[in-house]
Amino acid sequence: MRHWFLEGVKKSPHAPAGQAKVPAPDWTGRTCGTVLVSMLLAVAPVAADINPDKDMLAGWSVLDARAVALLREAGFRAVFVPFGSDGDAASFARACREGGLVPVAEIAGATEEAALRKGIDSAAAAGFAGVAFDALPSEQATRAVAAERKDLVSFVFLKPEQVHWRIEPAHAVLREGRWPGMQPPDPSVASATESFWVDANSFVAGWLGGVHPERAALLGYRPDESAGVSKSRAIHLDSLELVLADAFAGGGNAILYFPEIHQKAILEGKQQALETWRSLADTTGFLKEHLPVFRSPAASRVAVAAGTFEQSGELLNMMYRRNVSPAVFPAASLPEWQPGRSRVLVAANIPTPGEAGRRRALDFARSGGQVMAAPA
């Protein structure tokens, strides 16, 4: 028996009782009531307190101040903006602060500490309350830079192989995922199935929350080629809310990066775009209202001892695809067996566990559980 596992609670409860609901938006236009709300929001200072486990986060690139009220009405707390040194970014950041959104500057292309520090300082001077950037080549350098500006909330984009890095006080964002929706089969590529392939990311959030239960399982993939969106692929408007629903179903959250074509359609008031926006607002409201349910421990009778994303990602993908939705625990530190928690423990394609892990797997089997083990 080469493998192992099992624990009880994956995440602690988060949502405070009596959490305020997002008010129903007025979709008829910018009425006096909407103007009054905007004025009230402008008076109140916006603290850069972002909870990536429950707050709705948007990625927005069209720097038009009209987007601020729309994003707030749809339930978003913060907006990630591509940062440049021009005045447009500073003006948009000011509009966000006045409108009740936390503006976060995304600093791209900085691979050295000095360049990253300069970008962060420039973003702070432009009025941004937070910054987001790709991890530097080393964990130590990334953590050092993230800790320097305590007046800013920081997000660090990590690759799957970097996800174990300790980069506190910054929030970790996993840059991994496929844009949700149906993918037609490519006749030039051999496949195990002839059916249409539906991309989803609940398993990514489930894996991340399982191996790192101490922090929010936050995804940060974009509608680009790395997420399976080719230049010729049209992204359906109704796939936007799937990004959030998909992540929440796996126990996590996601930064919703809006395709630019959809941003413009929403700002221009196109009918289909506004209908989609109403639906998105309903979805964010539903996810917030039922947050305790999405953050409760997995009730599945199947548990998976997970290794790295490369080792366990495909296995979890297949399980979620078949509606197994297993409880996920880190293979390197299997918890003590709790009777009645799960009936099956899957320990496949992971390194041989240590003595404690082997003992706990045996205890699980002796208690009547089934252990499905396969070599790495």
Side-chain angles (χ1 to χ4, degrees):
M1 184 176 300
R2 296 190 52 192
H3 302 305
W4 29 286
F5 162 74
L6 191 64
E7 173 191 301
V9 177
K10 182 172 73 167
K11 287 202 169 188
S12 59
H14 312 294
Q19 181 181 14
K21 296 182 180 180
V22 179
D26 174 9
W27 298 109
T28 61
R30 302 284 79 81
T31 62
C32 293
T34 303
V35 173
L36 178 59
V37 171
S38 298
M39 293 173 63
L40 292 173
L41 288 171
V43 173
V46 180
D49 55 339
I50 301 175
N51 185 336
D53 191 57
K54 68 178 183 179
D55 288 335
M56 298 298 170
L57 313 174
W60 197 270
S61 59
V62 179
L63 304 185
D64 187 323
R66 293 177 298 171
V68 175
L70 288 168
L71 289 166
R72 283 289 289 164
E73 289 171 349
F76 288 94
R77 166 64 178 155
V79 58
F80 289 64
V81 179
F83 178 67
S85 57
D86 53 40
D88 290 344
S91 297
F92 190 75
R94 182 171 60 254
C96 288
R97 296 195 313 274
E98 293 174 351
L101 275 179
V102 178
V104 179
E106 287 200 1
I107 302 170
T111 59
E112 298 181 355
E113 292 182 53
L116 180 55
R117 287 190 175 95
K118 182 178 179 181
I120 292 174
D121 291 342
S122 297
F128 282 88
V131 292
F133 52 88
D134 291 323
L136 291 169
S138 77
E139 176 181 0
Q140 182 179 5
T142 303
R143 183 170 58 248
V145 173
E148 287 178 356
R149 294 295 301 255
K150 294 182 173 56
D151 56 324
L152 301 174
V153 59
S154 298
F155 294 82
V156 177
F157 297 110
L158 301 173
K159 300 175 183 178
E161 60 269 23
Q162 299 169 325
V163 78
H164 62 282
W165 286 13
R166 311 309 309 184
I167 43 83
E168 295 82 359
H171 299 295
V173 185
L174 178 60
R175 187 62 70 86
E176 178 67 33
R178 307 282 292 179
W179 194 265
M182 188 170 62
Q183 285 272 33
D186 184 347
S188 66
V189 178
S191 174
T193 176
E194 295 181 356
S195 62
F196 281 74
W197 188 262
V198 179
D199 283 322
N201 301 285
S202 297
F203 79 98
V204 184
W207 170 79
L208 184 57
V211 297
H212 288 288
E214 75 283 0
R215 63 192 188 197
L218 181 61
L219 308 184
Y221 61 93
R222 304 163 183 259
D224 56 22
E225 292 188 2
S226 64
V229 180
S230 63
K231 294 180 180 179
S232 60
R233 178 182 171 185
I235 297 179
H236 294 287
L237 282 164
D238 55 9
S239 70
L240 297 176
E241 59 194 90
L242 289 179
V243 173
L244 298 176
D246 190 22
F248 270 72
N253 195 1
I255 303 171
L256 174 51
Y257 284 95
F258 290 85
E260 187 169 313
I261 188 174
H262 296 338
Q263 296 178 46
K264 293 178 179 179
I266 293 165
L267 291 170
E268 291 170 3
K270 293 184 177 180
Q271 183 64 28
Q272 184 181 3
L274 290 181
E275 290 176 359
T276 301
W277 197 256
R278 297 184 190 105
S279 179
L280 175 62
D282 290 341
T283 297
T284 59
F286 177 87
L287 295 175
K288 288 181 178 182
E289 181 180 357
H290 297 282
L291 183 66
V293 176
F294 290 109
R295 297 298 181 259
S296 60
S300 176
R301 304 307 298 273
V302 178
V304 172
T308 66
F309 190 72
E310 182 179 7
Q311 292 168 342
S312 303
E314 189 60 23
L315 173 64
L316 291 171
N317 191 1
M318 292 298 101
M319 286 186 166
Y320 272 87
R321 192 168 293 278
R322 298 298 180 183
N323 293 321
V324 175
S325 302
V328 181
F329 300 90
S333 56
L334 286 180
E336 293 287 351
W337 161 241
Q338 296 182 8
R341 182 73 179 99
S342 297
R343 297 184 62 180
V344 179
L345 167 64
V346 180
N349 200 38
I350 54 176
T352 301
E355 181 179 352
R358 294 195 299 270
R359 175 179 56 80
R360 288 169 181 171
L362 287 169
D363 289 344
F364 177 80
R366 290 175 180 134
S367 300
Q370 298 180 355
V371 178
M372 300 178 65

